[in-house]
Amino acid sequence: AQFRFLHSNDPKCVPELLPYLKMYGNRCMSYSTTQPGLKHALVESIGYISWLEVKNFLYGKSAVVLSDPVADPAHQFFLIKKLEENLGRITLVQISKALAETLFNEGYSVYQIGVETELDIQTYSLSGKRKSSLRQWNNKGRKSGLIIEEKELSKMNKQEIDRLCQDWLSNRGGTEFSFLTRPMPESNEEGVRFFWARINGELLALAGFDPIYSKGRIIGYYHNFDRLCSGAVNGTSAFTLLQAMEKF
C-alpha cells in the first residue's frame, strides 16, 4: 500500500478526504484535519493521516500529527509507522485513549494533558446545584432579549461576521487561530452548523459546531467555534450554546 500525498490548500483535497471522514471521523478533531495548511498521506481504501509541518531548531523539519489517523482502528498504527518511514520524527496530539495505549505498548512516549468532556444532550438537564450558573445565564439571556438562530454562513452578511471576529480576536493576539482550533471557515462546509446571537438585530456572538461521524452518519458535534463581541451581554456564549443544544 502506497501513500498518496495531498495538501488541504488544494481544492481537490477535501472532497477526496470526506468519504473516509464520514466513515471513520469519530474524534472531536477529525473534521479539523481538513483545515487549510495541513498535509495528508492517503492510502486508498484504508484512510489518511494529517499533519502540520513545523521547523525545529534541534531536529529541523518535523511533523505534528493532528488526532487519530482517519481510518479503521485496525489500520491506524500502520499509517503512523508508514508516515514515520517517510518523514522521520513525528509527534501526535489529541489522540484517543485506545490509540495512546497502542502506542505506549509499542514503546512510544505518551503523556496525558487534560480531559475531553462528552455530553449526552438527549438526556442533559440544567437541574442540580452544580448547574445553577447555567440556569442563571439561560434566564438572563431570555430576559435580555437575545435571539438565537441557526443559519448557514452563505446566508449571513460577511462584513458583519468579519467585524465580530476581528473584535473577538483583538483581545487574543489579533490573528486567526489554527491547528487545535481550526480557522473560521469563509464558506459553507458539509455538516458544519452555525448559531448566531442577536439583540435588536445586532450580531453579538456565534457558535459553530463540527460534525462527528461514524459509518456514514453524524453521531455528535464538536463545539469548535466561539466568537463574542466586547459589548455582548454577560452569559451570551452560554445562552447561545444552550439554545443550540436544544436544536440538536
Side-chain angles (χ1 to χ4, degrees), residues 170-205:
S170 65
N171 296 317
R172 293 166 176 80
T175 56
E176 183 59 85
F177 292 176
S178 63
F179 200 56
L180 289 178
T181 301
R182 73 185 185 96
M184 179 80 180
E186 296 186 357
S187 59
N188 295 341
E189 295 176 315
E190 187 171 347
V192 180
R193 299 173 68 173
F194 278 94
F195 294 79
W196 313 87
R198 298 180 184 273
I199 289 183
N200 298 324
E202 181 184 359
L203 182 62
L204 300 180

Short mmCIF file of all heavy atoms in Angstrom, two decimals, residues 170-205:
data_model
loop_
_atom_site.label_atom_id
_atom_site.label_comp_id
_atom_site.label_asym_id
_atom_site.label_seq_id
_atom_site.Cartn_x
_atom_site.Cartn_y
_atom_site.Cartn_z
N SER A 170 -9.18 40.61 18.63
CA SER A 170 -8.35 41.74 19.04
C SER A 170 -7.80 41.57 20.46
O SER A 170 -6.75 42.12 20.80
CB SER A 170 -9.15 43.04 18.95
OG SER A 170 -10.23 43.05 19.87
N ASN A 171 -8.50 40.79 21.28
CA ASN A 171 -8.02 40.52 22.65
C ASN A 171 -7.31 39.18 22.77
O ASN A 171 -7.01 38.72 23.87
CB ASN A 171 -9.21 40.54 23.62
CG ASN A 171 -9.86 41.91 23.72
OD1 ASN A 171 -9.17 42.92 23.78
ND2 ASN A 171 -11.19 41.94 23.70
N ARG A 172 -7.03 38.56 21.62
CA ARG A 172 -6.40 37.24 21.61
C ARG A 172 -5.26 37.19 20.59
O ARG A 172 -5.07 36.18 19.91
CB ARG A 172 -7.45 36.17 21.31
CG ARG A 172 -8.45 36.03 22.43
CD ARG A 172 -9.68 35.23 22.03
NE ARG A 172 -10.58 35.04 23.15
CZ ARG A 172 -11.44 35.96 23.58
NH1 ARG A 172 -11.52 37.13 22.96
NH2 ARG A 172 -12.22 35.72 24.62
N GLY A 173 -4.53 38.27 20.50
CA GLY A 173 -3.37 38.30 19.62
C GLY A 173 -3.63 38.88 18.24
O GLY A 173 -2.70 39.17 17.50
N GLY A 174 -4.90 39.00 17.86
CA GLY A 174 -5.25 39.66 16.61
C GLY A 174 -5.22 38.79 15.37
O GLY A 174 -5.60 39.24 14.29
N THR A 175 -4.75 37.55 15.48
CA THR A 175 -4.69 36.67 14.30
C THR A 175 -5.58 35.45 14.51
O THR A 175 -5.79 35.00 15.64
CB THR A 175 -3.25 36.20 14.03
OG1 THR A 175 -2.72 35.55 15.20
CG2 THR A 175 -2.36 37.39 13.68
N GLU A 176 -6.08 34.93 13.40
CA GLU A 176 -6.98 33.78 13.44
C GLU A 176 -6.27 32.55 13.98
O GLU A 176 -5.07 32.35 13.78
CB GLU A 176 -7.50 33.50 12.02
CG GLU A 176 -8.50 32.38 11.92
CD GLU A 176 -9.74 32.58 12.75
OE1 GLU A 176 -10.68 33.25 12.28
OE2 GLU A 176 -9.78 32.06 13.89
N PHE A 177 -7.00 31.72 14.72
CA PHE A 177 -6.45 30.50 15.29
C PHE A 177 -6.29 29.44 14.20
O PHE A 177 -6.86 29.54 13.12
CB PHE A 177 -7.37 29.95 16.38
CG PHE A 177 -7.45 30.79 17.61
CD1 PHE A 177 -8.30 30.44 18.65
CD2 PHE A 177 -6.68 31.92 17.76
CE1 PHE A 177 -8.38 31.20 19.80
CE2 PHE A 177 -6.74 32.69 18.91
CZ PHE A 177 -7.60 32.33 19.94
N SER A 178 -5.50 28.41 14.50
CA SER A 178 -5.33 27.28 13.59
C SER A 178 -4.88 26.06 14.36
O SER A 178 -4.53 26.13 15.53
CB SER A 178 -4.32 27.61 12.48
OG SER A 178 -3.05 27.85 13.03
N PHE A 179 -4.91 24.94 13.70
CA PHE A 179 -4.49 23.63 14.18
C PHE A 179 -5.45 23.09 15.24
O PHE A 179 -6.49 22.54 14.88
CB PHE A 179 -3.05 23.63 14.69
CG PHE A 179 -2.44 22.25 14.74
CD1 PHE A 179 -2.42 21.46 13.61
CD2 PHE A 179 -1.93 21.74 15.92
CE1 PHE A 179 -1.88 20.17 13.65
CE2 PHE A 179 -1.39 20.46 15.97
CZ PHE A 179 -1.37 19.67 14.84
N LEU A 180 -5.17 23.22 16.54
CA LEU A 180 -6.07 22.65 17.54
C LEU A 180 -7.43 23.34 17.52
O LEU A 180 -8.45 22.71 17.83
CB LEU A 180 -5.45 22.74 18.94
CG LEU A 180 -4.27 21.80 19.19
CD1 LEU A 180 -3.71 22.03 20.60
CD2 LEU A 180 -4.65 20.34 19.01
N THR A 181 -7.46 24.61 17.24
CA THR A 181 -8.72 25.32 16.97
C THR A 181 -8.64 25.79 15.54
O THR A 181 -7.91 26.71 15.21
CB THR A 181 -8.90 26.52 17.91
OG1 THR A 181 -8.90 26.07 19.27
CG2 THR A 181 -10.20 27.24 17.62
N ARG A 182 -9.39 25.15 14.66
CA ARG A 182 -9.21 25.43 13.24
C ARG A 182 -9.74 26.82 12.88
O ARG A 182 -10.61 27.36 13.57
CB ARG A 182 -9.86 24.34 12.39
CG ARG A 182 -11.37 24.31 12.33
CD ARG A 182 -11.83 23.10 11.55
NE ARG A 182 -13.29 23.07 11.36
CZ ARG A 182 -13.91 23.51 10.28
NH1 ARG A 182 -13.22 24.06 9.30
NH2 ARG A 182 -15.23 23.44 10.17
N PRO A 183 -9.25 27.40 11.79
CA PRO A 183 -9.68 28.74 11.40
C PRO A 183 -11.17 28.80 11.08
O PRO A 183 -11.75 27.82 10.61
CB PRO A 183 -8.84 29.03 10.14
CG PRO A 183 -7.71 28.07 10.18
CD PRO A 183 -8.23 26.86 10.88
N MET A 184 -11.74 29.96 11.30
CA MET A 184 -13.14 30.19 10.93
C MET A 184 -13.29 30.04 9.42
O MET A 184 -12.58 30.68 8.65
CB MET A 184 -13.53 31.60 11.37
CG MET A 184 -14.94 32.00 11.04
SD MET A 184 -16.12 31.32 12.22
CE MET A 184 -17.64 32.00 11.51
N PRO A 185 -14.19 29.17 8.96
CA PRO A 185 -14.35 29.00 7.51
C PRO A 185 -14.98 30.23 6.86
O PRO A 185 -15.66 31.01 7.53
CB PRO A 185 -15.28 27.78 7.41
CG PRO A 185 -16.00 27.75 8.71
CD PRO A 185 -15.07 28.29 9.73
N GLU A 186 -14.76 30.38 5.57
CA GLU A 186 -15.31 31.51 4.83
C GLU A 186 -16.52 31.13 4.00
O GLU A 186 -17.17 32.00 3.40
CB GLU A 186 -14.23 32.13 3.95
CG GLU A 186 -13.07 32.74 4.74
CD GLU A 186 -12.07 33.46 3.86
OE1 GLU A 186 -12.26 33.44 2.63
OE2 GLU A 186 -11.12 34.04 4.41
N SER A 187 -16.81 29.84 3.92
CA SER A 187 -17.96 29.38 3.14
C SER A 187 -18.56 28.15 3.81
O SER A 187 -17.99 27.60 4.76
CB SER A 187 -17.53 29.06 1.70
OG SER A 187 -16.52 28.06 1.69
N ASN A 188 -19.72 27.72 3.32
CA ASN A 188 -20.39 26.55 3.90
C ASN A 188 -19.49 25.32 3.82
O ASN A 188 -18.78 25.12 2.83
CB ASN A 188 -21.69 26.26 3.15
CG ASN A 188 -22.71 27.37 3.31
OD1 ASN A 188 -22.62 28.19 4.23
ND2 ASN A 188 -23.68 27.40 2.42
N GLU A 189 -19.56 24.50 4.85
CA GLU A 189 -18.86 23.22 4.86
C GLU A 189 -19.87 22.14 5.24
O GLU A 189 -20.72 22.34 6.10
CB GLU A 189 -17.72 23.24 5.88
CG GLU A 189 -16.61 24.21 5.54
CD GLU A 189 -15.54 24.27 6.61
OE1 GLU A 189 -15.90 24.33 7.80
OE2 GLU A 189 -14.36 24.26 6.27
N GLU A 190 -19.76 21.01 4.58
CA GLU A 190 -20.74 19.94 4.78
C GLU A 190 -20.82 19.51 6.24
O GLU A 190 -19.82 19.17 6.87
CB GLU A 190 -20.39 18.74 3.90
CG GLU A 190 -21.45 17.65 3.93
CD GLU A 190 -21.21 16.56 2.91
OE1 GLU A 190 -20.35 16.75 2.01
OE2 GLU A 190 -21.87 15.51 3.00
N GLY A 191 -22.03 19.55 6.79
CA GLY A 191 -22.27 19.07 8.14
C GLY A 191 -22.01 20.08 9.24
O GLY A 191 -22.42 19.87 10.39
N VAL A 192 -21.31 21.18 8.94
CA VAL A 192 -20.97 22.18 9.96
C VAL A 192 -22.16 23.10 10.20
O VAL A 192 -22.79 23.57 9.26
CB VAL A 192 -19.73 23.00 9.54
CG1 VAL A 192 -19.39 24.05 10.60
CG2 VAL A 192 -18.55 22.08 9.29
N ARG A 193 -22.47 23.36 11.47
CA ARG A 193 -23.65 24.16 11.82
C ARG A 193 -23.25 25.39 12.62
O ARG A 193 -22.38 25.32 13.49
CB ARG A 193 -24.64 23.30 12.63
CG ARG A 193 -25.14 22.09 11.85
CD ARG A 193 -25.97 21.16 12.69
NE ARG A 193 -27.25 21.74 13.08
CZ ARG A 193 -28.22 21.06 13.71
NH1 ARG A 193 -28.03 19.77 14.01
NH2 ARG A 193 -29.35 21.64 14.04
N PHE A 194 -23.90 26.52 12.31
CA PHE A 194 -23.63 27.78 12.99
C PHE A 194 -24.90 28.35 13.59
O PHE A 194 -25.97 28.33 12.97
CB PHE A 194 -23.02 28.80 12.02
CG PHE A 194 -21.54 28.63 11.81
CD1 PHE A 194 -21.07 27.89 10.74
CD2 PHE A 194 -20.63 29.20 12.69
CE1 PHE A 194 -19.71 27.73 10.55
CE2 PHE A 194 -19.27 29.04 12.51
CZ PHE A 194 -18.81 28.31 11.44
N PHE A 195 -24.74 28.91 14.80
CA PHE A 195 -25.82 29.58 15.51
C PHE A 195 -25.37 31.01 15.81
O PHE A 195 -24.22 31.25 16.20
CB PHE A 195 -26.17 28.84 16.80
CG PHE A 195 -26.76 27.48 16.56
CD1 PHE A 195 -25.95 26.40 16.24
CD2 PHE A 195 -28.13 27.28 16.63
CE1 PHE A 195 -26.48 25.15 16.01
CE2 PHE A 195 -28.68 26.02 16.39
CZ PHE A 195 -27.85 24.96 16.08
N TRP A 196 -26.31 31.97 15.65
CA TRP A 196 -26.00 33.39 15.72
C TRP A 196 -26.86 34.06 16.79
O TRP A 196 -28.07 33.82 16.86
CB TRP A 196 -26.24 34.05 14.37
CG TRP A 196 -25.65 33.25 13.24
CD1 TRP A 196 -26.24 32.22 12.56
CD2 TRP A 196 -24.33 33.37 12.69
NE1 TRP A 196 -25.39 31.70 11.62
CE2 TRP A 196 -24.20 32.39 11.68
CE3 TRP A 196 -23.25 34.23 12.94
CZ2 TRP A 196 -23.05 32.23 10.92
CZ3 TRP A 196 -22.10 34.08 12.20
CH2 TRP A 196 -22.00 33.09 11.21
N ALA A 197 -26.23 34.88 17.62
CA ALA A 197 -26.94 35.56 18.71
C ALA A 197 -27.07 37.05 18.40
O ALA A 197 -26.07 37.71 18.07
CB ALA A 197 -26.18 35.36 20.02
N ARG A 198 -28.30 37.56 18.52
CA ARG A 198 -28.56 38.97 18.25
C ARG A 198 -29.45 39.59 19.33
O ARG A 198 -30.26 38.89 19.96
CB ARG A 198 -29.28 39.14 16.90
CG ARG A 198 -28.50 38.67 15.69
CD ARG A 198 -29.32 38.89 14.41
NE ARG A 198 -28.65 38.36 13.24
CZ ARG A 198 -27.76 39.04 12.50
NH1 ARG A 198 -27.47 40.30 12.85
NH2 ARG A 198 -27.20 38.49 11.45
N ILE A 199 -29.28 40.89 19.49
CA ILE A 199 -30.22 41.71 20.25
C ILE A 199 -30.57 42.91 19.38
O ILE A 199 -29.68 43.62 18.90
CB ILE A 199 -29.64 42.19 21.60
CG1 ILE A 199 -29.51 41.03 22.59
CG2 ILE A 199 -30.55 43.26 22.22
CD1 ILE A 199 -29.01 41.43 23.96
N ASN A 200 -31.86 43.09 19.14
CA ASN A 200 -32.33 44.18 18.28
C ASN A 200 -31.64 44.17 16.92
O ASN A 200 -31.28 45.23 16.38
CB ASN A 200 -32.12 45.53 18.97
CG ASN A 200 -32.92 45.65 20.26
OD1 ASN A 200 -34.05 45.14 20.35
ND2 ASN A 200 -32.35 46.32 21.26
N GLY A 201 -31.40 42.98 16.40
CA GLY A 201 -30.81 42.85 15.08
C GLY A 201 -29.30 42.90 15.03
O GLY A 201 -28.69 42.59 14.00
N GLU A 202 -28.65 43.29 16.13
CA GLU A 202 -27.19 43.40 16.14
C GLU A 202 -26.55 42.05 16.46
O GLU A 202 -26.91 41.41 17.45
CB GLU A 202 -26.73 44.43 17.18
CG GLU A 202 -25.22 44.60 17.23
CD GLU A 202 -24.75 45.54 18.32
OE1 GLU A 202 -25.62 46.09 19.04
OE2 GLU A 202 -23.53 45.73 18.47
N LEU A 203 -25.59 41.63 15.64
CA LEU A 203 -24.89 40.36 15.85
C LEU A 203 -23.90 40.50 16.99
O LEU A 203 -22.98 41.31 16.94
CB LEU A 203 -24.16 39.93 14.57
CG LEU A 203 -23.43 38.59 14.63
CD1 LEU A 203 -24.41 37.44 14.87
CD2 LEU A 203 -22.64 38.35 13.34
N LEU A 204 -24.08 39.68 18.04
CA LEU A 204 -23.24 39.76 19.23
C LEU A 204 -22.32 38.56 19.39
O LEU A 204 -21.26 38.66 20.01
CB LEU A 204 -24.11 39.89 20.48
CG LEU A 204 -25.03 41.10 20.58
CD1 LEU A 204 -25.81 41.04 21.88
CD2 LEU A 204 -24.22 42.39 20.50
N ALA A 205 -22.73 37.42 18.86
CA ALA A 205 -21.94 36.20 19.09
C ALA A 205 -22.31 35.14 18.07
O ALA A 205 -23.36 35.22 17.41
CB ALA A 205 -22.17 35.67 20.50
#
